[in-house]
Amino acid sequence: MAAGFWARLLLRLWFLAVAFLCAGAEDGRFDYYELCPATQPSMLNVHLLPHTHDDVGWLKTVDQYFYGGRFQFANGGWVMNDEATTYYAASIDQMTLGLNFLKDTFGDCGRPRVAWHIDPFGHSREQASLFAQMGFDGYFFGRLDYQDKKRREIQREMEQVWRASVNLQPPHADLFTSVLPNGYNPPPDLCWDMLCSDYPLVDDPDSPEYNVKGLINYFLNISAIQAQHYRTNHIVMTMGSDFHYENANMWFKNLDKLIQLVNAQQSNGSSINVLYSTPACYLWELNKANLTWSVKQDDFFPYADGPHQFWTGYFTSRPALKRYERLSHKFLQVCNQLEVLAGPAASVGSYGQGSSARLRQAMAVAQHHDAVSGTSKQHVANDYARQLAAGWEECQVLVSNALASLGSSKKDFVFCNQLNISVCPLSQTANHFQAILYNPLAWTITWTVRLPVGAWAYNVRDPSGQSVPSEVIDIPAKGSENSHPELIFPASAPPLGFSIYSVTRLSVRTPQFRDCCSPPMAQSSGPLVIQNEHLRAIFDPNTGLLQEIENLDLGLRLPVSQSFYWYNASTGDITHPQASGAYIFRPDKTKPFPLRHWVNTRLVKNALVQEVHQNFSAWCSQVVRLYPGQRHLELEWTVGPVPIRDGFGKEIISRFDSQLKTNGRFYTDSNGREILERRRDYRPTWDLNQTEPVAGNYYPVSSRIYITDGQVQLTVLTDRSQGGSSLRDGSLELMVHRRLLMDDNRGVGEALLEPGDGPGTGLVVRGRHLVLLDTVETAAAGHRLQAQREALAPQLVLASPGQDVPYSPGSPARTQFSGLRRELPPPVHLLTLALWGPSTVLLRLEHIFEREEGRAFNLSQPVTVDLQDLFSAFTINRLEETTLAADQTLSKASRLQWRTSMGGPTSPHPAPSLDPSAVTLQPMEIRTFLASVTWSEAWHR
């Protein structure tokens, strides 16, 4: 038989041995790596990795791909998530779902030892940190900037240790990282799948197609060349690609021959040994080499695969889907929390059988690198949204069951999921209704409720029956002289709990608020000013544009303007044919076009809100808003349908301009957590040859971007992932919308032309930017806490009148509930509270400040919390700490150790002893627990 056959047989026997030893090992622990195939220490070992890459939706939907091929879990996540446009909490959730599926199915044998992110379009530092905290030993990826790769090949730095946090004590967030040599594809001319066109190995010397000698010499040559770029006598070759191995025989027949024929050359003096292998076994050989590795501390953004080819457009592509994904993450946390707080009553109750499982899976799918990234075909994007919507429906049943149980009252609950377009039939038609405000944060929240209504005056009462100030303002309808009223009132909700407000229509025939609202203003009619006790915003009387922001608490005044601009999308040319598309951003000029130099304005002022309505064009408008007590300026923008009749696709930005001396630097978050410094036309690890001065300076913004002169800081928070930059000192911009006419030739095969309400109509998008002006010392206290309030904003549920029925005989209805006995300290965020088993809860706590942040308010110090009697709905009987994905007990988890050029410890500190009454969190630390609980009868009668 062929030698390759025996090699493949041995690999299969290795997998069987792993499974056998794993099944018999005490506590499922065994030495995984010692069972790897043997190598030749005195030779160059070429590890062949047979693999397939099946996207969870891209050109086809998830179901279509599943029907046509085989799925196997690589990397361990439910999907291979994107790294630029994902929010850290959602990435943790999807990895937790996938890894625990493997654990439940295969035991510890199924736990992957390496992270395998071969296809995402750039790589974030926070993702590497999360992988390290999940217990991975190494990280493999395929895509990095073409200039960076060339430099790494020359300097033999294709592999190094990524120090993925400046806050966590090394090596807690250190992760060995390997750049694959050919992306995730086979070497040229060695692709033997039914989707490939390369010639197979023909070893019959009598055949006219005999090609063994040439191909074997070619393989030996490319192996030797590749070895020059890596530091050990081990190299890796990925033998597979997208949707490969549907007919595995073609691949393995040729790989068997390759192994046999290459290794046969050893008798002729060849020093190359080829073997079937796995990423983990290749990693093990690198670890045994015991070398000292260089350290990387920044990230791998932005990614370019050639000159003028920056993959920075997808940071914004499909902005409505990006927002829906972020809202769905919030609603999933609400669903998870209420499933725990209400106990068994949440799943089965008067409203049917509710579950968070479907939304949890849909959210996991949405993290895929062609989903939330916005890089799938349109019908696939529609399917992602459909899956999320189906998950919402089942969660709404669960939320209804839980609210009825915790509130001891059965109501006709209504979820107004179209409030973003001011539509809610119940509030617009009912004479009386209830507004239930659920707060998923572990701190008390104050919030301004805003609802479309059908009358001009209402009485609002809080949970104790006291009257609450309220106002009704008229909002002009788009494209019409008509207006519709909106009710606003201030509300609050306790931590991890809800408050119920009662709303009753008053019999007032005519609006009482007309004096509060000025008509569209003529130019030069005097300054426009809105302010509350903390902020003042001044608008240019001649242009109607923002002119200055003042922080009244700190006495800070910053002249700053804001307006909308667009870049015409490049369609490519003879010299540089690259066009803008779903992935790639390439404007045809470096200077954007202003939508308008002046705007029509309308001023709204009353006791509960002050607003300036700005009309830039028929397809772009904005409301600049201040509520009482608010420490940020809210900019609610509406953009679209973006016009394309002039034959140009367009990329729309919101730009802020100031006189801050920022020295070419700006700052963006990494997936919503740690902050990274960015420098214009600069990369920290190589000398950049900048070919695109706009697109080449764009970075992903998951939640915030800011600029500072070292004393004053201007921060903008986003409500979804967007691309952002600072292209000149004192300026920052965020891309809010894209509508394109060309495909960028990266595989999706269609232009980014979202239809909106119908074919050819174009998509309208609405969103918010929150602007904060602070000193550098006080800025983090503002943006860190506000970012959490934005990500987990209160969930509003309405109830129609006359349907209240006691949940159980003799139980009085509750108008307020809190799942906590006390608030958590400001630096501590309740990241996860989810049901894990019949009497087990998954609990994650997070310190949301970095080491040097929040010093003015002492927020960056370690914080200790008492979990023992923290929750009102249940009692913790036993607490077990786990790794981040909750698939390993922390005390038993171990990782490979690596020596680095920066020195420091190579092994982590032992897991601290666990005292539920004193759980300490260091800055930026996440701690994960499985808690055995007993639910309180007081809340579930």
Side-chain angles (χ1 to χ4, degrees):
M1 291 185 180
F5 168 82
W6 291 110
R8 187 148 47 96
L9 179 62
L10 287 173
L11 186 66
R12 290 173 175 171
L13 291 173
W14 173 77
F15 280 119
L16 289 173
V18 169
F20 176 78
L21 291 175
C22 178
E26 185 178 354
D27 297 325
R29 301 182 72 187
F30 66 102
D31 199 330
Y32 182 94
Y33 292 108
E34 291 292 350
L35 296 170
C36 284
T39 59
Q40 298 294 332
S42 61
M43 294 185 178
L44 173 63
N45 294 275
V46 183
H47 295 246
L48 301 183
L49 305 184
H51 82 102
T52 185
H53 180 70
D54 291 344
D55 289 297
V56 185
W58 178 37
L59 308 180
K60 300 179 182 180
T61 66
V62 178
D63 290 337
Q64 288 169 336
Y65 278 137
F66 184 82
Y67 183 80
R70 299 176 302 165
F71 270 8
Q72 291 185 351
F73 287 91
N75 183 63
W78 199 252
V79 298
M80 186 183 294
N81 64 258
D82 183 54
E83 299 191 35
T85 61
T86 45
Y87 189 61
Y88 74 100
S91 294
I92 294 170
D93 282 350
Q94 80 86 13
M95 288 298 301
T96 300
L97 183 63
L99 287 170
N100 282 281
F101 169 84
L102 293 178
K103 179 181 179 181
D104 294 343
T105 306
F106 302 109
D108 193 57
C109 299
R111 180 173 64 84
R113 267 56 175 180
V114 299
W116 181 258
H117 260 214
I118 54 176
D119 199 21
F121 328 123
H123 304 279
S124 77
R125 193 175 75 179
E126 188 59 37
Q127 183 71 56
S129 175
L130 298 179
F131 278 150
Q133 295 175 65
M134 290 173 188
F136 286 107
D137 287 324
Y139 180 28
F140 291 83
F141 66 75
R143 298 186 189 270
L144 77 164
D145 188 278
Y146 71 104
Q147 295 181 43
D148 190 12
K149 183 177 182 181
K150 183 177 180 180
R151 191 270 308 175
R152 289 175 179 277
E153 288 178 335
I154 293 171
Q155 298 180 0
R156 302 182 75 189
E157 206 174 52
M158 295 287 278
E159 293 165 333
Q160 61 184 164
V161 172
W162 197 348
R163 183 148 292 169
S165 173
V166 297
N167 295 280
L168 302 179
Q169 184 71 30
H172 192 67
D174 288 1
L175 190 63
F176 186 88
T177 301
S178 179
V179 179
L180 296 168
N182 301 299
Y184 57 90
N185 299 306
D189 301 322
L190 299 179
C191 186
W192 295 308
D193 193 80
M194 59 186 293
L195 299 175
C196 305
S197 57
D198 294 346
Y199 291 106
L201 269 166
V202 180
D203 55 358
D204 181 0
D206 295 328
S207 171
E209 297 181 359
Y210 176 75
N211 60 359
V212 163
K213 186 175 181 179
L215 276 178
I216 296 306
N217 286 337
Y218 169 71
F219 183 86
L220 293 172
N221 183 53
I222 63 170
S223 298
I225 292 174
Q226 183 179 324
Q228 296 174 12
H229 304 150
Y230 292 80
R231 295 184 59 201
T232 73
N233 65 324
H234 294 268
I235 61 173
V236 65
M237 291 185 183
T238 47
M239 307 306 283
S241 189
D242 292 337
F243 319 121
H244 280 201
Y245 290 85
E246 195 167 345
N247 183 353
N249 181 62
M250 294 180 64
W251 257 116
F252 284 117
K253 184 176 181 179
N254 283 278
L255 289 176
D256 285 350
K257 289 181 180 181
L258 180 70
I259 292 172
Q260 174 196 5
L261 294 167
V262 171
N263 288 348
Q265 297 300 308
Q266 295 170 10
S267 63
N268 298 326
S270 169
S271 60
I272 293 180
N273 180 57
V274 190
L275 66 151
Y276 283 113
S277 188
T278 67
C281 289
Y282 170 69
L283 183 74
W284 173 236
E285 296 297 336
L286 301 184
N287 185 261
K288 288 193 297 183
N290 200 30
L291 300 180
T292 297
W293 301 91
S294 62
V295 175
K296 182 178 178 63
Q297 299 187 80
D298 58 317
D299 63 5
F300 289 93
F301 288 118
Y303 162 59
D305 58 0
H308 309 282
Q309 299 169 1
F310 284 91
W311 296 45
T312 54
Y314 80 96
F315 299 161
T316 296
S317 295
R318 302 197 186 279
L321 180 62
K322 283 178 164 62
R323 178 58 179 159
Y324 190 32
E325 180 275 334
R326 194 66 63 88
L327 284 172
S328 298
H329 167 73
K330 187 273 294 279
F331 193 54
L332 176 59
Q333 306 317 305
V334 169
C335 194
N336 285 339
Q337 292 175 6
L338 286 171
E339 188 173 25
V340 171
L341 297 175
S347 299
V348 180
S350 303
Y351 304 87
Q353 187 168 348
S355 172
S356 60
R358 192 167 187 176
L359 183 55
R360 188 178 299 117
Q361 292 184 11
M363 269 299 296
V365 169
Q367 305 314 303
H368 182 258
H369 57 271
D370 287 309
V372 67
S373 61
T375 57
S376 68
K377 285 184 178 291
Q378 182 63 54
H379 79 281
V380 179
N382 295 343
D383 189 64
Y384 289 135
R386 179 196 62 79
Q387 291 187 57
L388 290 172
W392 276 68
E393 289 181 3
E394 294 190 6
C395 258
Q396 286 174 181
V397 174
L398 187 152
V399 169
S400 298
N401 286 333
L403 290 177
S405 172
L406 295 172
S408 293
S409 177
K410 300 176 185 178
K411 305 176 186 295
D412 187 6
F413 296 108
V414 175
F415 296 83
C416 291
N417 295 329
Q418 293 182 302
L419 287 177
N420 63 313
I421 57 173
S422 299
V423 172
C424 179
L426 176 61
S427 63
Q428 290 173 299
T429 59
N431 291 325
H432 175 74
F433 61 90
Q434 291 180 328
I436 302 129
L437 196 70
Y438 178 79
N439 171 24
L441 292 170
W443 319 300
T444 299
I445 190 80
T446 58
W447 196 259
T448 299
V449 175
R450 195 168 185 128
L451 288 167
V453 289
W456 303 110
Y458 287 82
N459 177 259
V460 181
R461 295 187 178 275
D462 67 14
S464 64
Q466 299 298 308
S467 253
V468 173
S470 63
E471 297 276 359
V472 177
I473 60 175
D474 60 339
I475 304 298
K478 185 176 180 180
S480 169
E481 294 183 357
N482 298 323
S483 62
H484 64 264
E486 285 194 353
L487 170 69
I488 58 175
F489 61 90
S492 66
L496 221 65
F498 62 79
S499 297
I500 300 179
Y501 288 78
S502 176
V503 181
T504 303
R505 179 188 295 192
L506 300 178
S507 56
V508 177
R509 295 184 178 180
T510 57
Q512 297 182 330
F513 54 81
R514 289 299 185 185
D515 292 339
C516 80
C517 309
S518 67
M521 288 189 165
Q523 308 310 310
S524 302
S525 60
L528 282 174
V529 179
I530 58 174
Q531 75 174 71
N532 63 13
E533 61 270 41
H534 303 297
L535 287 177
R536 177 185 294 127
I538 301 174
F539 298 79
D540 188 305
N542 295 311
T543 66
L545 300 175
L546 181 65
Q547 185 179 53
E548 181 179 275
I549 301 174
E550 182 177 0
N551 184 319
L552 301 174
D553 296 326
L554 300 174
L556 284 181
R557 298 179 65 180
L558 180 68
V560 56
S561 63
Q562 182 273 336
S563 192
F564 291 91
Y565 300 77
W566 86 84
Y567 295 101
N568 275 342
S570 174
T571 57
D573 53 44
I574 296 176
T575 307
H576 302 294
Q578 183 61 58
S580 260
Y583 302 92
I584 289 175
F585 170 36
R586 189 180 177 220
D588 71 344
K589 292 182 176 60
T590 59
K591 186 177 180 181
F593 299 93
L595 257 72
R596 203 170 178 187
H597 294 288
W598 61 272
V599 296
N600 292 321
T601 59
R602 178 173 177 268
L603 181 65
V604 174
K605 279 190 176 183
N606 59 47
L608 298 184
V609 71
Q610 297 191 18
E611 300 176 340
V612 173
H613 294 239
Q614 300 172 314
N615 185 20
F616 287 82
S617 72
W619 55 273
C620 180
S621 62
Q622 182 170 259
V623 178
V624 184
R625 180 180 293 127
L626 271 176
Y627 291 115
Q630 190 169 279
R631 297 178 184 271
H632 60 269
L633 190 65
E634 178 181 321
L635 281 64
E636 185 180 64
W637 43 266
T638 304
V639 176
V642 176
I644 52 174
R645 290 185 179 180
D646 59 359
F648 285 97
K650 294 178 179 63
E651 330 228 15
I652 316 303
I653 64 167
S654 173
R655 193 176 81 189
F656 299 79
D657 292 299
S658 74
Q659 296 302 312
L660 289 176
K661 306 298 183 184
T662 53
N663 197 26
R665 289 169 168 81
F666 59 105
Y667 301 81
T668 64
D669 67 299
S670 183
N671 303 108
R673 296 204 80 220
E674 295 190 15
I675 302 296
L676 280 79
E677 179 186 273
R678 312 297 191 182
R679 290 173 61 182
R680 196 160 53 248
D681 297 328
Y682 173 82
R683 302 294 185 265
T685 54
W686 83 91
D687 293 329
L688 173 68
N689 176 24
Q690 182 62 277
T691 60
E692 288 289 327
V694 177
N697 284 304
Y698 258 63
Y699 289 86
V701 178
S702 293
S703 65
R704 76 209 77 180
I705 182 173
Y706 66 78
I707 53 175
T708 177
D709 63 359
Q711 296 180 327
V712 176
Q713 180 170 317
L714 181 69
T715 306
V716 180
L717 301 179
T718 66
D719 63 354
R720 73 202 76 191
S721 276
Q722 295 173 333
S725 187
S726 175
L727 299 178
R728 61 185 185 188
D729 277 10
S731 176
L732 63 82
E733 63 185 61
L734 288 158
M735 187 181 292
V736 298
H737 202 351
R738 316 178 74 215
R739 193 181 187 194
L740 306 174
L741 302 177
M742 304 286 289
D743 177 47
D744 53 18
N745 198 29
R746 292 304 183 276
V748 73
E750 66 182 36
L752 188 64
L753 267 173
E754 295 186 89
D757 290 336
T761 304
L763 180 70
V764 179
V765 183
R766 178 172 290 173
R768 295 192 307 151
H769 288 150
L770 308 183
V771 183
L772 298 90
L773 177 65
D774 294 285
T775 63
V776 170
E777 292 77 15
T778 61
H783 71 72
R784 285 287 178 192
L785 295 170
Q786 189 58 44
Q788 293 297 338
R789 297 186 193 107
E790 179 68 23
L792 293 178
Q795 179 68 40
L796 186 64
V797 181
L798 303 188
S800 58
Q803 301 295 321
D804 285 14
V805 176
Y807 188 78
S808 58
S811 59
R814 300 186 186 97
T815 56
Q816 197 164 54
F817 164 84
S818 176
L820 298 184
R821 300 186 189 279
R822 56 189 174 275
E823 290 187 351
L824 288 179
V828 179
H829 170 51
L830 180 64
L831 179 59
T832 306
L833 181 67
L835 194 65
W836 196 253
S839 59
T840 307
V841 167
L842 174 63
L843 172 65
R844 288 192 186 97
L845 296 176
E846 170 192 13
H847 196 306
I848 63 172
F849 285 85
E850 299 196 45
R851 281 183 180 175
E852 300 302 316
E853 290 182 334
R855 288 175 293 177
F857 302 100
N858 202 34
L859 297 174
S860 58
Q861 300 300 311
V863 181
T864 299
V865 294
D866 182 358
L867 298 180
Q868 216 157 22
D869 64 343
L870 177 64
F871 296 94
S872 64
F874 58 86
T875 301
I876 295 177
N877 303 318
R878 187 173 61 86
L879 204 61
E880 177 183 69
E881 188 162 10
T882 70
T883 53
L884 182 59
D887 65 327
Q888 302 175 65
T889 302
L890 187 62
S891 61
K892 297 178 181 178
S894 62
R895 297 201 296 144
L896 296 181
Q897 300 172 17
W898 305 88
R899 292 195 304 177
T900 72
S901 58
M902 296 182 66
T906 59
S907 58
H909 298 293
S913 58
L914 186 57
D915 179 1
S917 66
V919 174
T920 300
L921 292 130
Q922 303 294 327
M924 278 288 120
E925 184 179 20
I926 300 173
R927 296 185 67 176
T928 306
F929 307 94
L930 291 177
S932 174
V933 304
T934 302
W935 275 274
S936 168
E937 292 186 6
W939 290 116
H940 303 101
R941 283 182 291 194

